[in-house]
Amino acid sequence: MIPPVQVSPLIKFTRYSALLMGMIYGKKRYGIVLMADYLKPIAEEERRVEAEEKKKREELERIAKEIAEASEDSILK
């Protein structure tokens, strides 16, 4: 088995600094409130926007289908 390698103190410091910064960011962003409570309004907004986009997309598909059918049934073939 290979003996463990000495890790540079700079790398150790950087890793633990990143860990600490992530913990501070999480505490600041989410606080004591549960994550589900924080994300619920965002998810509702995303669902509403997605429903609007779906309506628009379906309307465009319906129009494209009508145009395609109209061009197929043309007398001027």
Short mmCIF file of all heavy atoms in Angstrom, two decimals, residues 20-47:
data_model
loop_
_atom_site.label_atom_id
_atom_site.label_comp_id
_atom_site.label_asym_id
_atom_site.label_seq_id
_atom_site.Cartn_x
_atom_site.Cartn_y
_atom_site.Cartn_z
N LEU A 20 -16.29 26.59 4.78
CA LEU A 20 -16.83 27.59 5.70
C LEU A 20 -17.66 28.62 4.94
O LEU A 20 -18.75 28.99 5.40
CB LEU A 20 -15.70 28.27 6.46
CG LEU A 20 -16.11 29.29 7.50
CD1 LEU A 20 -16.95 28.63 8.59
CD2 LEU A 20 -14.90 29.95 8.10
N MET A 21 -17.19 29.07 3.79
CA MET A 21 -17.94 30.04 3.00
C MET A 21 -19.28 29.45 2.53
O MET A 21 -20.29 30.14 2.52
CB MET A 21 -17.13 30.51 1.79
CG MET A 21 -15.90 31.32 2.15
SD MET A 21 -16.28 32.82 3.07
CE MET A 21 -17.07 33.76 1.81
N GLY A 22 -19.28 28.18 2.17
CA GLY A 22 -20.52 27.52 1.77
C GLY A 22 -21.50 27.43 2.92
O GLY A 22 -22.71 27.62 2.74
N MET A 23 -21.00 27.16 4.10
CA MET A 23 -21.88 27.10 5.28
C MET A 23 -22.46 28.48 5.59
O MET A 23 -23.65 28.60 5.91
CB MET A 23 -21.10 26.55 6.48
CG MET A 23 -20.74 25.08 6.32
SD MET A 23 -19.57 24.46 7.52
CE MET A 23 -20.36 24.82 9.05
N ILE A 24 -21.65 29.51 5.49
CA ILE A 24 -22.13 30.87 5.74
C ILE A 24 -23.16 31.27 4.70
O ILE A 24 -24.20 31.84 5.02
CB ILE A 24 -20.94 31.86 5.77
CG1 ILE A 24 -20.08 31.60 7.01
CG2 ILE A 24 -21.43 33.30 5.73
CD1 ILE A 24 -18.77 32.36 7.02
N TYR A 25 -22.89 30.95 3.43
CA TYR A 25 -23.83 31.27 2.35
C TYR A 25 -25.16 30.56 2.59
O TYR A 25 -26.23 31.16 2.45
CB TYR A 25 -23.24 30.84 1.01
CG TYR A 25 -24.23 30.91 -0.12
CD1 TYR A 25 -24.56 32.13 -0.70
CD2 TYR A 25 -24.85 29.77 -0.61
CE1 TYR A 25 -25.47 32.21 -1.73
CE2 TYR A 25 -25.76 29.83 -1.65
CZ TYR A 25 -26.07 31.05 -2.20
OH TYR A 25 -26.97 31.12 -3.22
N GLY A 26 -25.11 29.28 2.94
CA GLY A 26 -26.34 28.53 3.19
C GLY A 26 -27.12 29.10 4.35
O GLY A 26 -28.35 29.20 4.30
N LYS A 27 -26.44 29.46 5.40
CA LYS A 27 -27.10 30.03 6.58
C LYS A 27 -27.75 31.36 6.22
O LYS A 27 -28.87 31.65 6.62
CB LYS A 27 -26.06 30.22 7.70
CG LYS A 27 -26.59 30.90 8.91
CD LYS A 27 -27.50 30.00 9.70
CE LYS A 27 -27.87 30.68 11.00
NZ LYS A 27 -29.04 30.13 11.59
N LYS A 28 -27.04 32.17 5.43
CA LYS A 28 -27.56 33.47 5.05
C LYS A 28 -28.74 33.34 4.10
O LYS A 28 -29.73 34.05 4.22
CB LYS A 28 -26.45 34.27 4.38
CG LYS A 28 -26.75 35.73 4.17
CD LYS A 28 -25.54 36.40 3.57
CE LYS A 28 -25.41 37.80 4.10
NZ LYS A 28 -24.27 38.49 3.55
N ARG A 29 -28.64 32.43 3.15
CA ARG A 29 -29.69 32.28 2.14
C ARG A 29 -30.94 31.62 2.71
O ARG A 29 -32.04 32.05 2.45
CB ARG A 29 -29.18 31.47 0.96
CG ARG A 29 -30.26 31.24 -0.05
CD ARG A 29 -29.74 30.67 -1.32
NE ARG A 29 -30.87 30.43 -2.20
CZ ARG A 29 -30.91 30.73 -3.45
NH1 ARG A 29 -29.87 31.31 -3.99
NH2 ARG A 29 -31.95 30.47 -4.18
N TYR A 30 -30.76 30.55 3.44
CA TYR A 30 -31.91 29.77 3.89
C TYR A 30 -32.30 30.08 5.33
O TYR A 30 -33.42 29.84 5.73
CB TYR A 30 -31.64 28.27 3.74
CG TYR A 30 -31.40 27.90 2.31
CD1 TYR A 30 -30.17 27.43 1.89
CD2 TYR A 30 -32.40 28.04 1.36
CE1 TYR A 30 -29.96 27.10 0.58
CE2 TYR A 30 -32.19 27.73 0.05
CZ TYR A 30 -30.97 27.25 -0.34
OH TYR A 30 -30.75 26.94 -1.65
N GLY A 31 -31.38 30.59 6.10
CA GLY A 31 -31.68 30.93 7.49
C GLY A 31 -32.22 29.74 8.25
O GLY A 31 -31.86 28.60 8.00
N ILE A 32 -33.11 30.00 9.16
CA ILE A 32 -33.69 28.94 9.97
C ILE A 32 -34.92 28.36 9.29
O ILE A 32 -35.37 27.28 9.60
CB ILE A 32 -34.03 29.49 11.38
CG1 ILE A 32 -32.75 29.95 12.04
CG2 ILE A 32 -34.74 28.46 12.22
CD1 ILE A 32 -32.92 30.55 13.40
N VAL A 33 -35.47 29.07 8.32
CA VAL A 33 -36.67 28.62 7.61
C VAL A 33 -36.33 27.36 6.81
O VAL A 33 -35.24 27.23 6.27
CB VAL A 33 -37.16 29.73 6.66
CG1 VAL A 33 -38.37 29.28 5.88
CG2 VAL A 33 -37.46 30.99 7.43
N LEU A 34 -37.25 26.44 6.77
CA LEU A 34 -37.03 25.22 6.00
C LEU A 34 -36.89 25.54 4.53
O LEU A 34 -37.49 26.47 4.01
CB LEU A 34 -38.20 24.25 6.19
CG LEU A 34 -38.38 23.70 7.59
CD1 LEU A 34 -39.65 22.87 7.65
CD2 LEU A 34 -37.19 22.84 7.97
N MET A 35 -36.11 24.73 3.84
CA MET A 35 -35.86 24.96 2.43
C MET A 35 -37.16 24.87 1.62
O MET A 35 -37.37 25.63 0.69
CB MET A 35 -34.84 23.96 1.88
CG MET A 35 -34.42 24.29 0.46
SD MET A 35 -33.29 23.14 -0.31
CE MET A 35 -32.06 22.89 0.90
N ALA A 36 -38.04 23.95 1.98
CA ALA A 36 -39.29 23.79 1.24
C ALA A 36 -40.13 25.06 1.32
O ALA A 36 -40.77 25.45 0.34
CB ALA A 36 -40.06 22.60 1.77
N ASP A 37 -40.15 25.70 2.47
CA ASP A 37 -40.91 26.94 2.62
C ASP A 37 -40.32 28.06 1.77
O ASP A 37 -41.04 28.89 1.24
CB ASP A 37 -40.94 27.38 4.08
CG ASP A 37 -41.73 26.43 4.96
OD1 ASP A 37 -42.57 25.69 4.41
OD2 ASP A 37 -41.50 26.42 6.18
N TYR A 38 -39.02 28.06 1.65
CA TYR A 38 -38.34 29.09 0.87
C TYR A 38 -38.58 28.88 -0.62
O TYR A 38 -38.78 29.83 -1.37
CB TYR A 38 -36.84 29.07 1.18
CG TYR A 38 -36.03 30.00 0.31
CD1 TYR A 38 -36.02 31.37 0.57
CD2 TYR A 38 -35.29 29.53 -0.75
CE1 TYR A 38 -35.29 32.23 -0.22
CE2 TYR A 38 -34.56 30.38 -1.54
CZ TYR A 38 -34.56 31.74 -1.27
OH TYR A 38 -33.84 32.59 -2.05
N LEU A 39 -38.57 27.63 -1.07
CA LEU A 39 -38.66 27.33 -2.50
C LEU A 39 -40.09 27.21 -3.01
O LEU A 39 -40.31 27.24 -4.22
CB LEU A 39 -37.89 26.04 -2.80
CG LEU A 39 -36.39 26.09 -2.52
CD1 LEU A 39 -35.78 24.73 -2.76
CD2 LEU A 39 -35.72 27.14 -3.36
N LYS A 40 -41.06 27.09 -2.15
CA LYS A 40 -42.46 26.89 -2.57
C LYS A 40 -42.96 28.01 -3.47
O LYS A 40 -43.52 27.74 -4.53
CB LYS A 40 -43.36 26.72 -1.36
CG LYS A 40 -44.72 26.15 -1.71
CD LYS A 40 -45.55 25.92 -0.47
CE LYS A 40 -45.02 24.74 0.30
NZ LYS A 40 -45.85 24.36 1.44
N PRO A 41 -42.81 29.30 -3.10
CA PRO A 41 -43.30 30.36 -3.99
C PRO A 41 -42.58 30.37 -5.35
O PRO A 41 -43.18 30.66 -6.37
CB PRO A 41 -43.01 31.65 -3.23
CG PRO A 41 -42.68 31.26 -1.84
CD PRO A 41 -42.29 29.83 -1.85
N ILE A 42 -41.32 30.04 -5.34
CA ILE A 42 -40.56 30.01 -6.59
C ILE A 42 -41.10 28.91 -7.49
O ILE A 42 -41.29 29.11 -8.70
CB ILE A 42 -39.05 29.80 -6.29
CG1 ILE A 42 -38.51 30.99 -5.51
CG2 ILE A 42 -38.27 29.59 -7.58
CD1 ILE A 42 -37.11 30.81 -4.98
N ALA A 43 -41.39 27.75 -6.93
CA ALA A 43 -41.91 26.63 -7.71
C ALA A 43 -43.30 26.96 -8.26
O ALA A 43 -43.61 26.62 -9.41
CB ALA A 43 -41.96 25.37 -6.86
N GLU A 44 -44.13 27.64 -7.48
CA GLU A 44 -45.45 28.02 -7.95
C GLU A 44 -45.35 28.97 -9.13
O GLU A 44 -46.08 28.83 -10.12
CB GLU A 44 -46.24 28.68 -6.82
CG GLU A 44 -46.69 27.71 -5.74
CD GLU A 44 -47.36 28.41 -4.57
OE1 GLU A 44 -47.54 29.65 -4.62
OE2 GLU A 44 -47.69 27.71 -3.60
N GLU A 45 -44.43 29.92 -9.06
CA GLU A 45 -44.23 30.87 -10.16
C GLU A 45 -43.75 30.12 -11.41
O GLU A 45 -44.21 30.40 -12.52
CB GLU A 45 -43.22 31.94 -9.75
CG GLU A 45 -42.88 32.92 -10.85
CD GLU A 45 -44.05 33.82 -11.23
OE1 GLU A 45 -45.01 33.94 -10.46
OE2 GLU A 45 -44.00 34.40 -12.33
N GLU A 46 -42.82 29.19 -11.23
CA GLU A 46 -42.32 28.42 -12.37
C GLU A 46 -43.45 27.60 -13.01
O GLU A 46 -43.52 27.51 -14.24
CB GLU A 46 -41.19 27.49 -11.94
CG GLU A 46 -39.91 28.22 -11.63
CD GLU A 46 -38.82 27.29 -11.10
OE1 GLU A 46 -39.11 26.11 -10.83
OE2 GLU A 46 -37.69 27.76 -10.96
N ARG A 47 -44.32 27.01 -12.20
CA ARG A 47 -45.45 26.24 -12.75
C ARG A 47 -46.40 27.15 -13.52
O ARG A 47 -46.90 26.77 -14.58
CB ARG A 47 -46.20 25.52 -11.62
CG ARG A 47 -45.59 24.19 -11.28
CD ARG A 47 -46.48 23.41 -10.33
NE ARG A 47 -45.71 23.25 -9.09
CZ ARG A 47 -45.99 23.79 -7.92
NH1 ARG A 47 -47.06 24.50 -7.77
NH2 ARG A 47 -45.21 23.59 -6.89
#
